[in-house]
Amino acid sequence: MVSQKWYLSTWFISLCFLFSILILPFIAGLILLILQIVDRKSQIEKLKSSGIDKVQDAKMELEKLEAEIGLLKTKRESQISKLQILDDALIIDAKVIALELQKKELESKLKQLSDTIVEKNNQIVQLDDEILYQSFGFLRVKI
């Protein structure tokens, strides 16, 4: 703030009015009070002309920008939550694909095992037939 002359300070003018029993300090106090008001008005005009209005405009612009930043933050948070949901969905999809591959592998193993079982059953039937033939003496034992 701009410095003020000592005789225009409030405390000095108050002292003049304090001693207003005498007429001269009262008149001096009134004159100094009027000069103080005029001086403050001129200081205000200097501040306005020096760009104090620009500061107020800048403050208003800052408030608008802060509000816009708040909106952008909420949008960003909603987008982050959407991305997290999508990320979770991608993880689930990857797990599904892995399980499908595992299912195919297990199905191929199952088919191999069922083929092996059928083959072994055929071998059992053949061996049963050979045992039956041997029991009747139709087949010779190979040594």
Side-chain angles (χ1 to χ4, degrees), residues 12-24:
F12 185 73
I13 295 172
S14 298
L15 283 177
C16 287
F17 282 116
L18 182 67
F19 296 115
S20 65
I21 298 171
L22 307 171
I23 293 178
L24 189 59

Side-chain angles (χ1 to χ4, degrees), residues 52-66:
I52 192 75
D53 293 335
K54 292 178 186 176
V55 172
Q56 290 174 348
D57 291 340
K59 283 183 182 179
M60 291 176 62
E61 186 68 25
L62 179 65
E63 289 174 359
K64 288 179 185 177
L65 290 175
E66 286 175 347

Side-chain angles (χ1 to χ4, degrees), residues 93-109:
D93 286 343
K95 287 181 180 179
V96 167
I97 291 171
L99 288 174
E100 286 176 353
L101 288 173
Q102 188 177 9
K103 178 184 171 186
K104 287 180 183 179
E105 289 175 2
L106 290 174
E107 285 175 350
S108 67
K109 276 187 178 181

